[in-house]
């Protein structure tokens, strides 16, 4: 026995093998191409960026951490940091919530597959194309921008729009004078039996809405008058008088004012004439500013205030389908017996959704949320394309600031590298949380 033991003790050790039975050098050999690519495309660029961030714009002078100090002292970069924080806090949460709602609803609608296809379809569009689409959607002109076309339509449904924007009295012959808030009030009073003439200018006859009729001089024993366009194509006629061919202004609101109080009001007819009750005798005539106010043109979506929320809306449109598909896959694995048991116990649909569905989908929701958080930290395309040049500074984010500092005219590669490293440091904690969560899932 001792001889055998001594013989075994002197024998060379067997070659080491991995857990799967593969020799270590064989595993390293197969992994070598991937490791080389990983080093060339990931490790080296990160290391070079760290080194470059410690030098000045030209790369000749060592500046230490000055570039990092500039990131948190420069106004443009601070705006980018603030907007990036808004993106991280808002966009992933909104997209995940919408994806959850869509995933739950698609199980209850008849055409769920078609609905999923429609919602997911924007994911097939590139960021560049989506940016161009929403740049058109957010156009300020309601005749071009879909968003403002909808807003103005809804607004005009519930609010009376002005009849003749930019119209004004003919100051040469009219006694109507500005009286505040865009209104015009006569200096003299109106009398029964003496028609009031209220000539207006400031509108081309061929730009009047609808098919205007020729103006008619008012007549009668009551308090009457005429509001008309004191101008016609080709000229001619007498100023301050209703001439043949001059067009009536229909729908103009006329108020009779005594001691600052409105005692009567009416609107002009198709021929421009109006009639007020006897209580208007001796009153001044006022044309309210609502007759001449500029039309409502909607919301300045790409202005300094709303440009970031508008771009986030475009991002939500693109990525809601992504969240819906992942959450729907997780929802398919939920035990339906638990849902039915809750309903049998008397829980309503909201309670089932909040107490059972959402907790069971928590792992999937966390995956979607973390993935979107990493994604929005790198957002660049939509902001660069959608935000117009005057408001691009207000919509700035870190990825865009990196581009502008390095390649967009700034030429400061040191500052750009510092911003890149800061973005990496912001992404790393989120990635660590995701890796830990995946390990816990495997241990289960």
């Amino acid at each position: 026995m001792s001889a055998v033991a001594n013989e075994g003790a002197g024998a060379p050790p067997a070659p080491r093998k991995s857990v799967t039975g593969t020799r270590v050098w064989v595993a390293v050999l197969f992994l070598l191409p991937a490791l080389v690519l990983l080093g060339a495309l990931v490790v080296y660029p990160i290391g070079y960026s760290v080194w470059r961030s410690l030098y000045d714009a030209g790369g000749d002078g060592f500046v230490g951490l000055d570039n990092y100090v500039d990131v948190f002292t420069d106004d443009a970069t601070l705006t980018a940091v603030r907007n990036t924080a808004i993106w991280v806090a808002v966009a992933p949460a909104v997209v995940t919530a919408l994806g959850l709602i869509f995933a739950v609803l698609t199980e209850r609608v008849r055409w769920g597959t078609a609905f999923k296809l429609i919602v997911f379809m924007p994911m097939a569009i590139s960021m560049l194309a989506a940016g161009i689409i929403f740049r058109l959607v957010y156009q300020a002109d309601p005749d071009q921008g879909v968003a403002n076309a909808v807003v103005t339509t809804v607004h005009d449904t519930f609010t009376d729009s002005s009849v003749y924007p930019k119209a004004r009295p003919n100051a040469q012959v009219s006694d109507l004078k500005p009286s505040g808030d865009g209104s015009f009030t006569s200096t003299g009073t109106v009398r029964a039996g003496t028609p009031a003439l209220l000539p207006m200018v400031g509108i081309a006859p061929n730009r009047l809405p609808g098919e205007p009729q020729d103006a008619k001089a008012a007549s009668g024993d009551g308090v009457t008058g005429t509001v008309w366009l004191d101008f016609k194509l080709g000229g001619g006629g007498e100023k301050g008088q209703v001439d043949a061919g001059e067009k009536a202004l229909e729908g103009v609101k006329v108020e009779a004012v005594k001691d600052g109080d409105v005692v009567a009001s009416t609107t002009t007819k198709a021929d421009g004439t109006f009639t007020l009750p006897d209580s208007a005798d001796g009153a001044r005539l006022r044309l309210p500013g609502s007759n001449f106010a500029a039309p409502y043109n909607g919301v300045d979506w790409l202005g300094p205030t709303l440009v970031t929320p508008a771009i986030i809306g475009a991002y939500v449109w693109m990525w809601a389908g992504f969240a819906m598909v992942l959450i729907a896959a997780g929802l398919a694995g939920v035990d339906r017996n638990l849902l039915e048991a809750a309903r049998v116990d008397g829980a309503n649909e909201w309670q089932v959704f909040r107490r059972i569905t959402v907790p069971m989908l928590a792992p999937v929701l966390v995956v979607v949320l973390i993935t979107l958080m990493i994604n929005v930290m790198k957002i660049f395309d939509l902001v660069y394309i959608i935000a117009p040049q005057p408001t691009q500074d207000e919509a700035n984010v870190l990825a865009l600031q990196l581009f502008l500092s390095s390649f967009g005219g700034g030429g400061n590669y040191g500052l750009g590298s510092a911003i890149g490293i800061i973005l990496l440091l912001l992404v790393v904690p989120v990635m660590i949380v995701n890796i830990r969560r995946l390990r816990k899932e495997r241990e289960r």
Side-chain angles (χ1 to χ4, degrees), residues 139-142 148-149 151-152 155 294-300:
Q139 282 289 331
D141 187 352
N148 271 340
V151 171
T152 54
H155 176 273
Y296 179 71
N297 287 323
V299 179
D300 188 9

Side-chain angles (χ1 to χ4, degrees), residues 350-368:
W350 169 245
Q351 291 173 328
V352 171
F353 174 76
R354 185 166 60 93
R355 298 293 182 85
I356 299 179
T357 304
V358 173
M360 295 191 69
L361 288 175
V364 179
L365 296 177
V366 171
V367 170
V368 174

Side-chain angles (χ1 to χ4, degrees), residues 13-27:
R16 295 179 59 187
K17 294 185 178 181
S18 65
V19 177
T20 59
T22 306
R23 297 180 186 275
V24 176
W25 68 269
V26 175

Side-chain angles (χ1 to χ4, degrees), residues 129-139 302 310 313-315 317-318 382 386:
I132 295 173
I133 291 171
F134 275 88
R135 182 67 180 269
L136 296 175
V137 167
Y138 291 136
Q139 282 289 331
L302 299 181
Y315 180 87
W317 176 78
M318 286 195 66
L382 287 179
I386 296 178

Side-chain angles (χ1 to χ4, degrees), residues 77-334:
T77 311
L78 285 176
T79 300
V81 172
R82 181 198 65 194
N83 288 337
T84 301
I86 293 174
W87 272 88
V88 173
V90 175
V94 174
V95 172
T96 304
L98 281 178
L100 175 61
I101 293 172
F102 290 157
V104 173
L105 290 180
T106 50
E107 289 199 337
R108 299 175 178 274
V109 297
R110 185 174 182 181
W111 301 99
T113 303
F115 180 80
K116 287 181 181 179
L117 178 63
I118 294 172
V119 175
F120 188 76
M121 194 176 296
M123 282 295 298
I125 302 175
S126 68
M127 285 284 194
L128 173 64
I132 295 173
I133 291 171
F134 275 88
R135 182 67 180 269
L136 296 175
V137 167
Y138 291 136
Q139 282 289 331
D141 187 352
D143 294 331
Q144 299 180 8
V146 176
N148 271 340
V150 174
V151 171
T152 54
T153 300
V154 174
H155 176 273
D156 294 343
T157 300
F158 297 98
T159 304
D160 293 334
S161 59
S162 60
V163 184
Y164 301 102
K166 299 183 180 180
R168 62 185 186 277
N170 189 339
Q172 298 177 356
V173 294
S174 175
D175 69 342
L176 289 172
K177 303 300 179 183
S179 54
D181 296 329
S183 63
F184 300 95
T185 304
S186 63
T187 56
T189 58
V190 63
R191 296 294 178 182
T194 304
L197 298 178
L198 305 178
M200 307 296 292
V201 293
I203 314 174
N206 57 350
R207 295 300 180 94
L208 293 174
E211 298 180 0
Q213 298 183 14
D214 290 344
K216 176 183 176 182
S219 61
D221 297 332
V223 180
T224 60
T226 304
V227 182
W228 84 101
L229 183 62
D230 193 18
F231 173 80
K232 62 180 178 179
L233 296 176
E238 183 180 354
K239 295 296 182 183
Q241 298 296 321
V242 180
D243 299 310
E246 293 180 341
K247 299 300 180 181
L249 299 184
E250 180 184 4
V252 177
K253 186 176 182 180
V254 182
E255 296 177 341
V257 181
K258 287 184 179 180
D259 299 326
D261 297 326
V262 178
V263 296
S265 65
T266 186
T267 56
T268 57
K269 301 176 184 177
D271 57 5
T273 62
F274 63 87
T275 302
L276 290 166
D278 295 339
S279 58
D281 191 17
R284 300 177 187 272
L285 295 181
R286 181 171 67 188
L287 304 183
S290 58
N291 293 314
F292 317 113
Y296 179 71
N297 287 323
V299 179
D300 188 9
W301 296 104
L302 299 181
T305 304
L306 294 178
V307 61
T308 294
I311 300 173
I312 290 177
Y315 180 87
V316 170
W317 176 78
M318 286 195 66
W319 286 85
F322 166 82
M324 178 196 65
V325 170
L326 291 186
I327 296 172
L331 190 60
V334 173

